[in-house]
Amino acid sequence: MVTIHIDGLPYEVEEGQNLLQACLSRGLNLPYFCWHPALGSVGACRQCAVKRFKSEKDERGEIIMACMTPAEAGVRISIDDPEVAAFRKSVIEWLMLNHPHDCPVCDEGGECHLQDMTVMTGHAYRENRFKKRTYPNQYLGAFLNHEMNRCIQCYRCVRYYHDYAGAGDLNVFASRDHVYFGRGRAGRLESGFSGNLVEICPTGVFTDKTLGRHYTRKWDLQTAPSVCVHCALGCNTIPGSRYGELRRVRNRYNHEVNGYFLCDRGRYGYEFVNCDRRIRAPLVRTSRGVEQVLVSTEDALKSAAAMLSERRKVIGIGSPRASLESNFALLRLVGPKNFHAGISDKELEVLNLIRDVLCLGAARTPTLSETAEAGAVFVLGEDVSNSAPLLALNLRQLPRRKAEIAMAKVKIPPWNDAPIQRIAEFEKGSLYIASPCATGLDEVASKSFHGDISELARLGFAVASVLDPANAPGVEGLTEKEKIRAGEIASALGGAARPLIVSGAGCASLALIEAAANICTALGKIGGQPQIFFALPEANSLGLALLGAAGGLETACSALRSGRADTVVVIENDLFRRCAEEKAIALFDSAKYLVAIDHLINPTTSKADLVLPAAAFAEASGTLVNNEGRAQRFYRVLVPEFEVKESWRWIRDIMRFLGRSEAEKWHRLDDLSVAMAALNPLFAGLVSVAPDADFRLAGGKIPRQAPRYSGRTAMRAHIDVFEQPPPDDPDTPLTFSMEGDPRQPPPSLIPRYWAPGWNSVQALNKFQQEIGGPLRGKDPGVRLIEPIPQARTEYFRDVPASAPKAEGEMSLIPLHHIFGSEELSALSPGVAELCPQPYVALNPEDASFLGLFEGALAKVGVEGLTCCLSVRIVPSLPRAVAGLPVGLRGAPVFELPASGTVVREATDE
Amino acid sequence: MLSILRTLWGVFLHMFRSRETIQYPEQNILDPPRFRGRIILSLDPDGQERCVACYLCSAACPVDCIALQAAQDVNGRRYPEFFRINFSRCILCGFCEEACPTYAIQLTNDFEFSEYDRNNMVYEKEDLLISGPGKHPDYNFFRVAGVAVGVKGKGESENELPPVDVRSLLP
């Protein structure tokens, strides 16, 4: 900490920051445009001018750019000096010369950084009498609108999209006052992180197209803190709703998790909540073969009680996309021995192994933000750009970190973007990738290697044995090339501070995870500080593994078939996505009754004898455990219509109906957290995940609506002119009202970013301890798993052998897609547009050997199941390996990885 | 004593002054031009809805009696999908008119809209729209705004240059 003087007052600021950061960190208002905490400063917009004085006696001073000047001890600056204030005002006047008269029809209006800064500088009237420059716009895909007239040339979009997110299809064109930010040719933005442009752009050049279809101003959105449900990283979000509909999702800053950015799947996947496939009322089927009919809640509970009465042998099938509370309630309903995970046995085995590796502590798992600070990274068998997008965005910053360290030697601070970017552009990160086929990160990797899953695992084991040749299991029959490769990776990992091993459940391979754990054990033994990070498939995968299930779907199936069970309760899970259709049908047919609690009509709910309408994430409150074991609370944003309620509430009501005393104590969400913490020591931290429902700020609940929320006395007036009181919310300390203390709530309860004078998302500055640092208080979430460092010293010893394949045999591996592999987001129209059609990926040589070409039909056979898929040629795929996309709609479900056959489909011609 | 007489004299003189009381409803009221009465939505000179559903009126409304939802036509022109004013709450303060950037929402001289049932005081867009531009006959927001939404092409607004040719290398 150093002391600087701003307008005559001393302030303690962190050394190494720039003056703009220092001023903002201390709560002072200084306008800016081109600077962004994640992107650094370039000094392009000239907006953050301050006056610097040489000494106490200096009265003249000099105008400098705060963002380009380091905060050194004893610096004296003035923000309020009239000369510099006039300078800032004239700068904004220039920026506004060509800004169109658009605010009423601009989606940024009301949360526009340009509006805020214009008001802050005091510029009010346009005195320029010349005509305004205009630009043509471009079509940028389903997610973003482009309105170039509004541009103020701050270059933030290119610096984010091109430099930070590493995508090449948006750039700056033309010269002088004609500079144009867009694509070379109109078309969809290819990066999976394009949605962040909405928040990066200080004005309305890039706006959210999905919001535009049901546009609502920021002040009219009912918002609450939430957690993204579209992958396991647990990025924090702020969904907004209006008129009982979910309208958009924005980023919620969590320094330890997602920082400033979200991926497009998380940002645009929300529309499934509004889709017409939602279940809004209970449905009952009186006997198999007849249609389901609508019934009242009372009748539904009665039939549930009849189906699940004591005489029946009930098993439960949980879900990795349901909250911890819902899964726990199901576990209590059916008993731990009858609780099944709702994923295949194999996937559960992989998940359990990951849980054990994390808990027993071969290495600590870093937070998502810490992954960007790793000295060297080895990605083993996971396509993180598709299965954990934001992790890929973080790993992409490795070259930049390297450049920052290099530039620190010549005293260039890390926020000075231009020189660092110039170096980072040609730098490769200490990133090694071993994956089945090319990933989006290969271009920033030092080395990338593609091979079959067993080969990748062998490479992993080989790296461990190079690091610790004495103890780690050796790998038989390695080629010379493989040995060199393993040696290179081992030396990079061994020599780096905090090396990071990334693997995951993407390939559903135990050997890969064991290999990753072995590398960590080996690195620990040679005195390193290894970290391990697993990408998991779904929002609550790890939570489900921590709860502990008796088995997966196959176990449930055999329990039904053997007569050990006759009734199934499935929550928030479509089993037809989890196993082959025949298997799912067999499972349901062998059950006497099937009770499904879900929010979407899907093949499982269509088969059910009783369907209870569950609340989707925006309508429910609950807890999710992300892939690092961080439990995070999400809060309901809107009150669902009709009889929709949380799965755990349905289960509680059924249990009460059945006379189970346990459920009598479950009045609200916190009661389940307490019950979980009491039953399972792993969940001890759950009670402190977020303030409980009794938390009050200055005696009141925290308002979900902004103070300027409009239409309160008119929105329901067409139904009834008399106003209703706000709906009750017993589970949370938030209220569906605009009444409440305007002060900042604790970080896990921040419903929106707003501060006086700061209506845009940049108001976040006022919520952080230091700019770009943790939120005031503590970053949301509690890590349930903090392993004892180096508790595990045992090696896994099952090194897979390199088995030569039989003639015509292919190894079929799963391929993940950022858009399409996840069930819920694929129901949102914008995302659905980008989902690929089912295909089989083949190496070009394999394809020509089989007489196949791009788009041709191939017959894929695995364990007796066959299906026809069109061929996609993927040059990076190894020989004798075929890739099958996971989770696409209309694609057959195979249990992958497996060995199978791919042959040419005989056509009639 | 004198002051009482003076007062009585003053009152007596008032008998010969002209009457301030208007015999409403037999007699019509000539209210001032800036009288704030029943709210209407106007059309622009091209005959299209002026309202661009910017939500500023609803935000300005102190009793929150305006609710609307924005929608877009095929050209991207914004209009209100529904526009509802609950006149049983409205205090006719005129803030909505002041906030309106397009002169769409205007207060008129009409105040004769009492009802026996409060539900009848809820006006929808069909009830609010009039068939002309109201107090501002000339203003057309989309002729000034930068967006091209079917009304004109890019760069054809008032005070606009033709669109930049991004591929031109000329200085």
Side-chain angles (χ1 to χ4, degrees):
Chain A
M1 289 297 218
V2 291
T3 307
I4 63 166
H5 297 267
I6 307 171
D7 286 315
L9 294 172
Y11 289 92
E12 290 279 306
V13 301
E14 223 160 80
E15 206 173 357
Q17 286 183 325
N18 57 52
L19 284 174
L20 173 60
Q21 265 176 312
C23 290
L24 294 171
S25 291
R26 297 285 75 85
L28 300 166
N29 289 339
L30 183 56
Y32 62 87
F33 286 113
C34 65
W35 171 80
H36 185 283
L39 306 177
S41 342
V42 285
C45 71
R46 320 311 283 171
Q47 189 58 65
C48 62
V50 291
K51 210 169 214 186
R52 178 170 62 187
F53 301 97
K54 287 199 183 77
S55 67
E56 228 168 312
K57 285 179 194 135
D58 181 9
E59 283 179 0
R60 192 143 167 260
E62 53 174 350
I63 290 179
I64 53 157
M65 294 306 132
C67 74
M68 296 302 286
T69 316
E72 286 158 347
V75 171
R76 295 178 173 275
I77 56 167
S78 169
I79 298 174
D80 295 339
D81 182 274
E83 202 183 355
V84 75
F87 179 91
R88 290 196 300 262
K89 189 175 170 183
S90 56
V91 167
I92 214 151
E93 191 169 357
W94 301 327
L95 291 178
M96 294 289 280
L97 279 187
N98 294 303
H99 196 73
H101 186 71
D102 261 5
C103 294
V105 286
C106 175
D107 289 359
E108 193 84 355
E111 51 180 328
C112 176
H113 190 56
L114 181 61
Q115 278 180 343
D116 288 349
M117 296 301 106
T118 310
V119 172
M120 195 179 281
T121 51
H123 168 66
Y125 286 94
R126 182 173 185 268
E127 282 169 38
N128 180 34
R129 285 164 294 130
F130 295 95
K131 292 190 166 183
K132 290 180 182 179
R133 172 197 63 207
T134 60
Y135 287 109
N137 298 329
Q138 284 180 332
Y139 168 79
L140 296 179
F143 295 150
L144 289 170
N145 267 325
H146 192 221
E147 185 57 56
M148 251 311 282
N149 284 359
R150 297 170 187 157
C151 182
I152 55 162
Q153 280 77 28
C154 71
Y155 282 72
R156 261 193 190 186
C157 52
V158 173
R159 285 170 59 218
Y160 163 71
Y161 192 84
H162 186 270
D163 300 351
Y164 191 93
D169 60 326
L170 181 119
N171 220 319
V172 52
F173 302 95
S175 60
R176 59 179 181 106
D177 67 337
H178 281 180
V179 286
Y180 186 84
F181 298 86
R183 284 172 51 94
R185 181 170 296 155
R188 143 182 126 70
L189 285 174
E190 281 153 20
S191 169
F193 304 98
S194 62
N196 293 315
L197 286 171
V198 176
E199 288 179 45
I200 283 285
C201 178
T203 174
V205 177
F206 300 98
T207 51
D208 186 336
K209 207 178 235 181
T210 65
L211 173 69
R213 276 200 291 273
H214 40 220
Y215 184 65
T216 307
R217 295 253 179 238
K218 182 186 182 181
W219 62 71
D220 278 344
L221 286 168
Q222 186 167 275
T223 48
S226 190
V227 176
C228 180
V229 293
H230 301 296
C231 85
L233 292 178
C235 298
N236 291 197
T237 57
I238 301 181
S241 79
R242 176 82 174 168
Y243 300 130
E245 205 179 72
L246 196 58
R247 293 291 164 94
R248 75 160 180 206
V249 166
R250 279 241 163 163
N251 180 50
R252 179 163 65 102
Y253 182 85
N254 184 333
H255 179 64
E256 292 186 344
V257 188
N258 50 320
Y260 290 90
F261 303 117
L262 285 182
C263 71
D264 287 354
R265 178 155 97 190
R267 188 181 294 268
Y268 296 108
Y270 71 92
E271 284 185 281
F272 77 91
V273 176
N274 307 330
C275 81
D276 49 11
R277 282 175 56 191
R278 289 294 306 277
I279 303 166
R280 306 277 186 193
L283 299 163
V284 165
R285 191 199 308 278
T286 44
S287 66
R288 292 273 163 103
V290 294
E291 288 277 295
Q292 292 169 334
V293 288
L294 283 175
V295 287
S296 68
T297 305
E298 183 96 341
D299 291 343
L301 286 174
K302 264 184 210 153
S303 20
M307 288 177 193
L308 309 174
S309 68
E310 295 299 320
R311 281 169 288 130
R312 305 233 163 264
K313 291 167 276 182
V314 185
I315 57 166
I317 295 181
S319 166
R321 68 167 157 91
S323 71
L324 207 52
E325 286 81 3
S326 297
N327 277 312
F328 173 73
L330 180 66
L331 182 136
R332 298 308 302 166
L333 172 72
V334 297
K337 280 186 196 136
N338 297 322
F339 178 71
H340 297 76
I343 47 179
S344 70
D345 278 10
K346 197 165 162 190
E347 277 176 80
L348 183 67
E349 208 180 332
V350 170
L351 219 52
N352 284 343
L353 177 64
I354 289 176
R355 176 198 62 196
D356 294 343
V357 169
L358 291 177
C359 290
L360 296 175
R364 177 181 178 272
T365 181
T367 63
L368 185 56
S369 65
E370 281 167 353
T371 56
E373 308 296 329
V377 181
F378 181 34
V379 181
L380 186 57
E382 188 73 21
D383 179 6
V384 286
S385 37
N386 283 309
S387 63
L390 222 67
L391 172 64
L393 190 65
N394 272 1
L395 295 183
R396 208 166 248 292
Q397 307 315 314
L398 289 171
R400 201 190 155 89
R401 295 283 165 278
K402 224 171 166 183
E404 280 174 10
I405 292 163
M407 293 308 265
K409 288 181 192 136
V410 288
K411 294 203 172 137
I412 289 183
W415 44 259
N416 197 344
D417 188 51
I420 285 170
Q421 188 54 40
R422 183 61 66 86
I423 291 183
E425 220 170 328
F426 304 105
E427 190 80 62
K428 298 274 185 197
S430 291
L431 173 63
Y432 297 86
I433 297 179
S435 62
C437 64
T439 72
L441 277 178
D442 284 10
E443 62 195 53
V444 288
S446 299
K447 284 279 160 64
S448 57
F449 158 69
H450 309 303
D452 194 2
I453 294 173
S454 62
E455 269 177 273
L456 302 177
R458 284 165 59 80
L459 175 67
F461 278 106
V463 171
S465 84
V466 173
L467 285 165
D468 183 11
N471 303 312
V475 184
E476 302 288 315
L478 281 180
T479 63
E480 210 47 43
K481 212 172 161 189
E482 285 171 321
K483 278 183 192 158
I484 294 168
R485 192 178 286 144
E488 191 187 347
I489 297 170
S491 69
L493 292 174
R498 287 180 301 159
L500 169 69
I501 316 299
V502 176
S503 189
C507 283
S509 157
L510 292 171
L512 277 177
I513 291 152
E514 289 174 352
N518 271 11
I519 300 173
C520 287
T521 313
L523 282 167
K525 283 210 174 149
I526 61 163
Q529 282 184 305
Q531 309 177 86
I532 195 159
F533 196 90
F534 290 111
L536 300 178
E538 273 161 279
N540 202 19
S541 287
L542 193 58
L544 191 64
L546 289 173
L547 260 183
L553 284 178
E554 286 79 1
T555 317
C557 220
S558 68
L560 284 166
R561 220 170 284 150
S562 65
R564 275 180 284 130
D566 55 12
T567 303
V568 192
V569 184
V570 183
I571 59 161
E572 300 180 40
N573 205 340
D574 180 9
L575 303 187
F576 286 81
R577 282 179 60 87
R578 311 279 180 187
C579 58
E581 199 180 337
E582 292 78 13
K583 227 186 228 174
I585 292 175
L587 189 148
F588 297 141
D589 286 347
S590 47
K592 180 132 183 29
Y593 291 117
L594 168 64
V595 180
I597 308 178
D598 205 341
H599 42 78
L600 292 165
I601 296 171
N602 55 38
T604 303
T605 53
S606 317
K607 279 252 160 208
D609 301 293
L610 172 64
V611 184
L612 298 172
F617 81 99
E619 302 157 343
S621 305
T623 313
L624 297 172
V625 182
N626 80 349
N627 62 337
E628 49 156 322
R630 177 187 294 268
Q632 300 187 100
R633 186 63 61 83
F634 61 94
Y635 293 98
R636 64 207 299 217
V637 181
L638 58 120
V639 185
E641 282 185 347
F642 311 110
E643 284 149 70
V644 177
K645 53 187 171 185
E646 293 96 333
S647 300
W648 69 262
R649 275 221 155 79
W650 279 116
I651 297 171
R652 179 201 66 179
D653 291 351
I654 295 171
M655 286 169 81
R656 284 182 177 175
F657 221 91
L658 293 170
R660 302 271 288 273
S661 59
E662 187 182 8
E664 297 298 332
K665 282 181 269 169
W666 297 350
H667 300 292
R668 55 185 203 186
L669 197 67
D670 295 327
D671 299 333
L672 279 102
S673 306
V674 171
M676 266 188 275
L679 281 171
N680 190 342
L682 272 173
F683 292 130
L686 271 189
V687 285
S688 50
V689 161
D692 66 16
D694 291 327
F695 175 85
R696 293 292 180 273
L697 199 63
K701 283 191 155 199
I702 295 148
R704 281 185 175 88
Q705 299 166 357
R708 196 46 279 164
Y709 191 78
S710 78
R712 186 176 51 85
T713 64
M715 10 194 342
R716 282 188 79 260
H718 61 304
I719 304 164
D720 184 11
V721 78
F722 295 97
E723 287 113 38
Q724 301 294 316
D728 199 26
D729 188 10
D731 293 333
T732 75
L734 293 118
T735 168
F736 292 100
S737 153
M738 59 180 106
E739 286 172 36
D741 198 72
R743 272 178 299 173
Q744 286 182 11
S748 54
L749 296 174
I750 295 171
R752 78 192 66 81
Y753 293 119
W754 183 87
W758 297 77
N759 299 296
S760 77
V761 65
Q762 318 280 335
L764 169 60
N765 295 337
K766 305 278 180 191
F767 290 75
Q768 295 166 322
Q769 280 171 28
E770 291 290 334
I771 301 302
L775 292 167
R776 280 204 199 115
K778 195 185 135 291
D779 281 302
V782 168
R783 277 165 66 103
L784 299 177
I785 305 173
E786 282 292 3
I788 319 141
Q790 307 311 314
R792 185 191 180 90
T793 48
E794 290 291 299
Y795 283 105
F796 290 103
R797 299 205 166 264
D798 287 342
V799 183
S802 77
K805 288 190 190 92
E807 183 70 30
E809 191 188 326
M810 291 282 236
S811 88
L812 301 175
I813 56 151
L815 297 179
H816 291 263
H817 284 274
I818 178 168
F819 304 119
S821 288
E822 198 269 329
E823 180 185 1
L824 301 176
S825 60
L827 292 168
S828 307
V831 173
E833 213 173 283
L834 301 178
C835 295
Q837 289 300 310
Y839 65 88
V840 53
L842 289 173
N843 176 291
E845 288 170 47
D846 282 336
S848 65
F849 179 75
L850 294 166
L852 290 164
F853 48 90
E854 180 93 27
L857 278 184
K859 199 189 227 166
V860 181
V862 191
E863 290 164 12
L865 296 171
T866 54
C867 73
C868 254
L869 291 166
S870 84
V871 172
R872 184 186 279 192
I873 307 290
V874 178
S876 62
L877 211 63
R879 288 289 315 254
V881 174
L884 287 170
V886 181
L888 298 186
R889 285 188 77 185
V893 184
F894 293 120
E895 192 148 305
L896 300 173
S899 71
T901 53
V902 179
V903 290
R904 192 171 153 187
E905 169 72 357
T907 43
D908 292 339
E909 311 153 61
Chain B
M1 184 65 197
L2 191 69
S3 69
I4 292 173
L5 287 174
R6 200 166 53 224
T7 312
L8 282 172
W9 178 241
V11 172
F12 176 76
L13 279 184
H14 268 288
M15 291 169 63
F16 306 102
R17 298 261 171 89
S18 62
R19 299 284 189 275
E20 288 293 330
T21 309
I22 294 165
Q23 291 306 311
Y24 180 80
E26 284 76 29
Q27 199 181 337
N28 253 345
I29 290 174
L30 284 174
D31 34 38
R34 285 196 267 177
F35 184 88
R36 300 192 306 264
R38 181 171 58 88
I39 298 169
I40 53 99
L41 287 175
S42 60
L43 302 183
D44 65 21
D46 294 347
Q48 286 186 290
E49 260 178 70
R50 250 183 186 155
C51 177
V52 296
C54 72
Y55 294 97
L56 287 183
C57 52
S58 69
C61 181
V63 290
D64 289 346
C65 75
I66 305 179
L68 68 150
Q69 175 56 52
Q72 279 175 344
D73 71 5
V74 281
N75 295 316
R77 182 183 169 125
R78 280 271 161 83
Y79 67 94
E81 188 184 336
F82 70 83
F83 194 107
R84 186 179 307 129
I85 300 181
N86 179 357
F87 278 111
S88 75
R89 284 285 185 200
C90 179
I91 55 171
L92 302 171
C93 65
F95 282 12
C96 49
E97 185 176 19
E98 267 182 55
C100 184
T102 65
Y103 295 134
I105 194 164
Q106 297 174 8
L107 274 74
T108 62
N109 290 5
D110 179 23
F111 56 88
E112 296 165 312
F113 59 131
S114 45
E115 296 279 352
Y116 286 108
D117 183 359
R118 261 186 78 191
N119 282 303
N120 294 340
M121 297 292 280
V122 178
Y123 280 41
E124 296 289 339
K125 190 168 96 175
E126 308 78 88
D127 312 320
L128 296 165
L129 266 179
I130 61 163
S131 56
K135 298 178 198 172
H136 303 275
D138 301 326
Y139 188 68
N140 189 341
F141 173 77
F142 282 115
R143 296 258 164 231
V144 190
V147 289
V149 287
V151 177
K152 39 116 217 267
K154 265 274 157 138
E156 290 171 11
S157 279
E158 289 167 29
N159 272 325
E160 274 189 353
L161 292 169
V164 163
D165 178 8
V166 181
R167 290 171 201 281
S168 160
L169 291 173
L170 293 173

